[in-house]
Amino acid sequence: MTETTHATTGVRDVVIVGGGPAAHRLADSLHARDTDHALRVTVVGEELHAPYDRVALSTRLADAATDLTLQPTSMWDGERIRLITGERVDAVDAVARTATTSAGTVLHWDELVLATGSSAPVPDLPGREHARVYRTIDDVDALVAESRELAERHGRPARVLVAGGGLLGLEAAGGLAKLGADAAVVHSGRWLMSAQLDEGAGRALGRIIAGQGIALHLGIRPSSILVEDGAVVGVEFTDGSRTDVDLVIFAIGISPRDELARQLGLELGPRGGVAIDTACAASAPHIWAIGEVASFEGRCTGLVAPANAMAEVVADRLLGGAAEFTSVDDATKLKLSGVDVASFGDALARTEQALEIVYADPARGLYQKLVMTDDAKTLLGGIFVGDASPYASLRPLLGTQLSSEPAAYLSASGMEAPAGDELPAAALVCACNNVTAGTIRDAVNGTEHADGCTELGALKTCTRAGTQCGSCVPLVKKLLEAELKKSGVTPSRALCEHFELSRQELFESIRVLELTSFDEIIARFGTGRGCDVCKPVVGSILAAQHGSYILDGGRGGLQDTNDRAMANMQKDGTYSVVPRIPAGEITPQKLAVIAQVATDFDLYTKITGGQRIDLFGARLDQLPEIWKRLVDAGFESGQAYGKALRNVKSCVGSTWCRYGVQDSVAMAVQLELRYRGLRSPHKLKFGVSGCARECAEARGKDVGVIATDQGWNMYVGGNGGFQPAHAQLLASDLDDETLLRYIDRYIMYYIRTADRLQRTARWIEDIEGGLDHVRDVVVNDSLGLADELERAMAKHVDTYEDEWAATLADPERLRRFRSFVNAPNQPDPSVARVPDERGQFRPATAEERERGEAVLVAGTTIPVRGADA
């Protein structure tokens, strides 16, 4: 039977090969998104079952009647999406664009999606033909039946050995043990789940599993399956030992089903699987791959979350979008043999100098660990065994600074993680002063203070929360606002306890009255002397409105540490230097200058994700010398230290690329030179792509510009980081002049109205009317502000001055860059370096200093404390 597309309808045929969860997610997404009925979708599944939940296979072990069918199923009933089960696609013709099934059905396709999943491998060893696998519903049903048949035959529980101590292996062993089998697990690692858990967690899990009567053979593998009279009787291991068994099951990982990809000559991953790019596209046009068969960055994964993400990307792409799959989320939470197990992020603490906070109770089989940066502030990952309750609240915080000491986030410590207004009364909010969420709520509601502390400043005074390190202030503010809302009171949008105005109100007030100093501003609108919240905000507002040198006129004291040094401070107290390289375009001569500066000052060099070169390890007193060399060579400050435009990323564009339709480099250079140095509520990043292939990742930027045949599409509100957001289309097919006008208006409107430290993505979410309102203001001039916003931007462009060039021209300004006020020419002797493993220098550790190893100080190799004289 042959089926063809009806050309007259203009409908494209999509054939999805595979009937697993990834295929289901893609079909469901297309069903919801394809409102124009532009696609006709056929899903071909080899199994007789409709797509089902493979993660829940263990429940089928306990109850054969369990229905694992994935919902929704209503899409299979319509005419647009059809499901074929019990047929395998055996051949694909990329030229004729046909797929032929095992039943002889020939399907035409315009787009082919490979979602063939994976198979369960069995190693090549004697007796392997008698082994079973744990992969599908049919596998599970067969294992249940065989286990029961063996028990009846021998008059005792079936002896089952599961090879593989990972997720599937432990599920199989636990499920069969509940059915009455005498189950055991053999695992090549020294502890269970060695790919996901560290030794402490793995051994804690092992104690629980062993306590359930499941024998563990760790650190060895099966070497042969022993068979007598056609029946399995035992297994020999690689250490020479053996065990008596009736049934051997392999669950040692996945092997991607890439036979069709090999037949088509597609590029494969290093370990098999279909190599895909960030669009989930294979190496041949109109062919895509998702799920376990897809190899992204050289790796196939068997987890559900990445498969779903890939399916959503392909759905978007098939309907003309530009979504990207950029990373694999390895986070896992499940119940193994009744045991809660979870891991996320850098669970094995592979990050250099990572700090591990561990609570372990071997007797209870409890293990909880947080992996933090070495300052114990930023969450890098975690592992939970026995009690995974903190996982749900901690996983979203990955990569962020925690507002309390890490131990407070572990349930084993007796506390629960702070979670806004959901916090229990006993949760510790301010670790410095031992202030709980209950104490703060009582203070707001007047339980402890008759009138109630309904302002942030008063609340800090009466509870002492946030008065020491200040890291818990955002959480204190959230609790305050939540309690006020419960009482029917509109929460204050005050910037801090010194200013009742919001940032937006303060910006407008300063602009209208043309105020130019912090003293004038706080005298007019505030109280007290200010704080580390309001001072940088006022400094940023003044810089955005007047464009004057940020450290003059008493404004130096308003700035954060990095702005005061005009460089980013690093962990050892040194600074990094980032010269501006507009659009990533640089001449060989300028590259040579950077190389010579790095060599002369012994600086570590690193190319950044923003197409710039970062030079690490400069002392404060060296910054002027370094920048003089750079400025003389034509470089400017890259403002990597400020809440300002960081960079404009660009592809090579039509100048060189055969796909480019516009000169993206020229546009990116123009944008970077136009908006450089512009202070804003948060950092700004732009991207310009010369065609729809989007090599500059413009839709992950605050402002993204993508070339079309007619001009430029402008996208806004994208960002990476902890809360990534895809930029949204603001306007299409703009000429150069209109594009610049719209960006001028957009950026200035954001600078005027956003909250402190609010990225553009969150600003668009929070502003009333969202993207539609922003579009009306920028494109349709609905507020009549267009001319005013453009004039404000023109003033910035006209008055821009490179901050480092201005510093070098004024001896008084240079006085700031001294390590010691009373010894201006004395370098800081605490700065110490050692050679790293890749031919550069890195900060010396405390241990290296203590051992007295030769280190680099002030550019000279000398011995340090502990070395022989």
Side-chain angles (χ1 to χ4, degrees), residues 663-693:
D663 190 349
S664 56
V665 176
M667 176 55 71
V669 170
Q670 185 177 5
L671 294 178
E672 188 150 353
L673 296 182
R674 184 173 183 81
Y675 303 113
R676 59 188 170 178
L678 179 62
R679 288 305 200 276
S680 57
H682 211 301
K683 62 185 176 185
L684 292 168
K685 296 184 179 182
F686 289 16
V688 183
S689 287
C691 73
R693 284 172 173 79

Side-chain angles (χ1 to χ4, degrees), residues 250-315:
F250 277 87
I252 56 174
I254 61 173
S255 179
R257 296 278 304 274
D258 55 14
E259 305 89 56
L260 291 176
R262 296 176 185 274
Q263 180 188 121
L264 288 165
L266 300 179
E267 181 183 347
L268 303 177
R271 297 185 179 181
V274 184
I276 61 170
D277 59 15
T278 54
C280 296
S283 56
H286 304 289
I287 300 179
W288 317 77
I290 59 176
E292 295 169 333
V293 75
S295 175
F296 181 70
E297 296 183 341
R299 174 181 168 216
C300 295
T301 180
L303 299 175
V304 173
N308 287 343
M310 291 177 190
E312 292 293 341
V313 167
V314 171

Side-chain angles (χ1 to χ4, degrees), residues 737-812:
E737 182 182 351
T738 305
L739 175 66
L740 291 179
R741 284 207 316 272
Y742 284 3
I743 296 177
D744 285 356
R745 298 174 186 177
Y746 172 74
I747 292 299
M748 288 309 303
Y749 190 53
Y750 160 69
I751 290 173
R752 285 190 175 191
T753 59
D755 287 336
R756 167 182 173 266
L757 300 180
Q758 187 176 45
R759 291 294 296 269
T760 57
R762 307 285 86 79
W763 169 66
I764 291 174
E765 289 177 359
D766 290 349
I767 198 167
E768 187 174 352
L771 181 64
D772 290 338
H773 167 74
V774 174
R775 182 181 290 110
D776 279 344
V777 172
V778 172
V779 178
N780 303 322
D781 193 18
S782 60
L783 299 181
L785 292 174
D787 289 343
E788 189 177 305
L789 297 174
E790 289 175 24
R791 285 197 304 271
M793 187 62 74
K795 179 181 178 182
H796 162 75
V797 174
D798 293 341
T799 60
Y800 168 78
E801 181 182 27
D802 175 46
E803 290 167 353
W804 266 108
T807 300
L808 294 169
D810 188 335
E812 195 61 32

Side-chain angles (χ1 to χ4, degrees), residues 47 93 97 119 153 183 250 378 382 434 482 491 676 756 769 782 789:
E47 294 184 59
D93 187 333
R97 291 194 181 175
S119 60
R153 183 196 311 170
F250 277 87
T378 302
N434 197 34
R676 59 188 170 178
R756 167 182 173 266
S782 60
L789 297 174

Side-chain angles (χ1 to χ4, degrees), residues 70-84:
L70 288 168
Q71 299 297 324
T73 60
S74 56
M75 57 191 171
W76 310 128
D77 301 329
E79 295 180 356
R80 294 166 47 207
I81 300 181
R82 181 175 53 147
L83 174 65
I84 299 175

Side-chain angles (χ1 to χ4, degrees), residues 227-500:
V227 180
E228 292 179 4
D229 299 326
V232 173
V233 296
V235 169
E236 285 187 350
F237 299 119
T238 50
D239 66 350
S241 62
R242 64 160 286 173
T243 186
D244 296 332
V245 299
D246 307 312
L247 181 62
V248 181
I249 304 167
F250 277 87
I252 56 174
I254 61 173
S255 179
R257 296 278 304 274
D258 55 14
E259 305 89 56
L260 291 176
R262 296 176 185 274
Q263 180 188 121
L264 288 165
L266 300 179
E267 181 183 347
L268 303 177
R271 297 185 179 181
V274 184
I276 61 170
D277 59 15
T278 54
C280 296
S283 56
H286 304 289
I287 300 179
W288 317 77
I290 59 176
E292 295 169 333
V293 75
S295 175
F296 181 70
E297 296 183 341
R299 174 181 168 216
C300 295
T301 180
L303 299 175
V304 173
N308 287 343
M310 291 177 190
E312 292 293 341
V313 167
V314 171
D316 184 74
R317 292 278 178 164
L318 291 178
L319 294 170
E324 291 188 334
F325 181 82
T326 56
S327 63
V328 174
D329 183 0
D330 284 331
T332 305
K333 182 180 184 295
L334 63 162
K335 192 177 286 288
L336 296 172
S337 299
V339 184
D340 285 326
V341 178
S343 68
F344 67 100
D346 183 16
L348 300 182
R350 293 190 174 101
T351 302
E352 186 176 350
Q353 296 186 343
L355 181 67
E356 297 174 86
I357 293 93
V358 179
Y359 274 74
D361 186 342
R364 295 166 54 199
L366 181 66
Y367 184 93
Q368 295 185 339
K369 180 179 83 170
L370 291 185
V371 181
M372 311 290 295
T373 50
D374 61 347
D375 60 1
K377 291 183 178 179
T378 302
L379 180 64
L380 300 178
I383 294 177
F384 301 92
V385 173
D387 178 5
S389 57
Y391 171 85
S393 59
L394 283 169
R395 181 186 169 191
L397 300 178
L398 185 66
T400 66
Q401 287 195 4
L402 302 183
S403 61
S404 187
E405 60 177 300
Y409 291 78
L410 299 177
S411 55
S413 70
M415 303 299 300
E416 289 190 35
D421 57 9
E422 301 268 325
L423 286 174
L428 191 64
V429 173
C430 178
C432 297
N433 294 308
N434 197 34
V435 183
T436 65
T439 300
I440 292 173
R441 291 193 184 106
D442 290 343
V444 175
N445 295 323
T447 305
E448 299 292 333
H449 303 266
D451 297 329
C453 302
T454 57
E455 298 289 340
L456 181 60
L459 182 61
K460 289 170 65 178
T461 300
C462 64
T463 65
R464 299 189 66 229
T467 58
Q468 197 159 337
C469 76
S471 63
C472 64
V473 169
L475 184 56
V476 173
K477 188 174 182 180
K478 285 184 179 179
L479 286 167
L480 168 63
E481 292 177 351
E483 291 305 302
L484 291 177
K485 285 181 180 178
K486 291 178 185 177
S487 303
V489 178
T490 302
S492 169
R493 294 192 63 217
L495 180 63
C496 66
E497 60 259 44
H498 303 105
F499 286 96
E500 294 185 359

